[in-house]
Every structure is written in C-alpha cells, then in structure tokens.
Amino acid sequence: MTEKTEAQKRAQKNYMSKFIRLEFRATSEQRDAIQAHAAARGESVNAFIGRAIKETMKRDKETAEG
C-alpha cells in the first residue's frame, strides 16, 4: 500500500473534522447481531446505526405529534 500524500492527509483531516465520535456500549452478542444485520443489508455498522437512529427519531416525532 502506498503512503498518503500530504494533500490526501489534509483532505482526510478536513473531512473527519466535520464529525464527532459517539460511544455506544454493547455486549459481544449485541455487537455480533448488529454486525450481522448490517452486513445482511449491505451496510456498514456505522451506516446501519445512523439509519436506525434517524428512523427512530422520525417515528418518535410522528408519534408525539399524533
């Protein structure tokens, strides 16, 4: 694998600066189930968790607005 150029390193640093890191605690079994579910849907674990949160927040808002 080739070393990243300085421009690539700057671009990645700029991209990553737009995000914050959240921590989520799960048991090994939960992690395995999440990974398997995400893989079965062709998603990364991060994409699946983001989608799950977004859909749940939308559903909760719709329920609250009743």
Side-chain angles (χ1 to χ4, degrees):
M1 185 179 280
T2 60
E3 184 71 23
K4 290 181 183 176
T5 66
E6 289 303 314
Q8 288 172 320
K9 290 176 185 178
R10 283 192 308 273
Q12 183 177 17
K13 185 176 180 180
N14 183 48
Y15 174 78
M16 292 304 291
S17 71
K18 297 174 183 158
F19 299 94
I20 61 165
R21 184 174 182 92
L22 298 175
E23 288 191 37
F24 169 76
R25 296 187 190 276
T27 64
S28 297
E29 293 80 17
Q30 289 171 322
R31 181 201 58 210
D32 293 345
I34 292 166
Q35 287 175 333
H37 183 82
R41 301 208 27 102
E43 293 179 299
S44 68
V45 169
N46 194 67
F48 166 66
I49 291 172
R51 182 173 61 83
I53 291 169
K54 185 177 179 179
E55 289 177 5
T56 300
M57 288 172 62
K58 180 181 176 188
R59 187 175 57 241
D60 289 351
K61 183 179 177 184
E62 290 169 354
T63 301
E65 292 174 353

